[in-house]
């Protein structure tokens, strides 16, 4: 699917393969803890959707890693 236009239909995976991937992803997500125990202080930030300058603004606000903890 690389070097293809976005939205291209993938016809290389079979239905059983897709079901296997979905079941694996489900099992992986269910194995993760529902709640994380974090120690203070932390700053919680939203998703930057790949916007590099938004990420830089977050670092300017909260501090640059590894010196600061951002979640």
């Amino acid at each position: 699917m690389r070097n293809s236009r976005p939205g291209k239909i993938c016809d290389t995976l079979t239905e059983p393969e897709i079901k296997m991937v979905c079941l694996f992803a489900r099992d992986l997500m269910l194995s993760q803890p529902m709640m994380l125990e974090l120690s203070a202080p932390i700053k919680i930030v939203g998703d930057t959707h790949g916007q590099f300058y938004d990420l830089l603004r977050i670092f300017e606000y909260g501090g640059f890693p590894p010196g600061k903890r951002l979640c």
Side-chain angles (χ1 to χ4, degrees):
M1 298 306 299
R2 289 188 178 159
N3 301 322
S4 297
R5 63 178 172 78
K8 180 176 179 357
I9 303 286
C10 176
D11 56 2
T12 58
L13 292 175
T14 64
E15 185 175 339
E17 289 172 325
I18 294 170
K19 285 182 179 180
M20 180 189 67
V21 169
C22 290
L23 288 174
F24 178 76
R26 178 183 178 275
D27 290 342
L28 181 65
M29 286 186 216
L30 289 174
S31 72
Q32 301 299 312
M34 294 293 271
M35 187 181 320
L36 299 174
E37 293 187 28
L38 303 171
S39 58
I42 61 170
K43 293 188 182 343
I44 299 173
V45 297
D47 189 353
T48 61
H49 297 278
Q51 301 300 313
F52 180 68
Y53 293 106
D54 290 346
L55 181 63
L56 289 179
R57 249 184 265 124
I58 289 169
F59 286 156
E60 287 172 2
Y61 167 72
F64 285 82
K68 299 293 179 181
R69 294 173 44 144
L70 301 169
C71 293

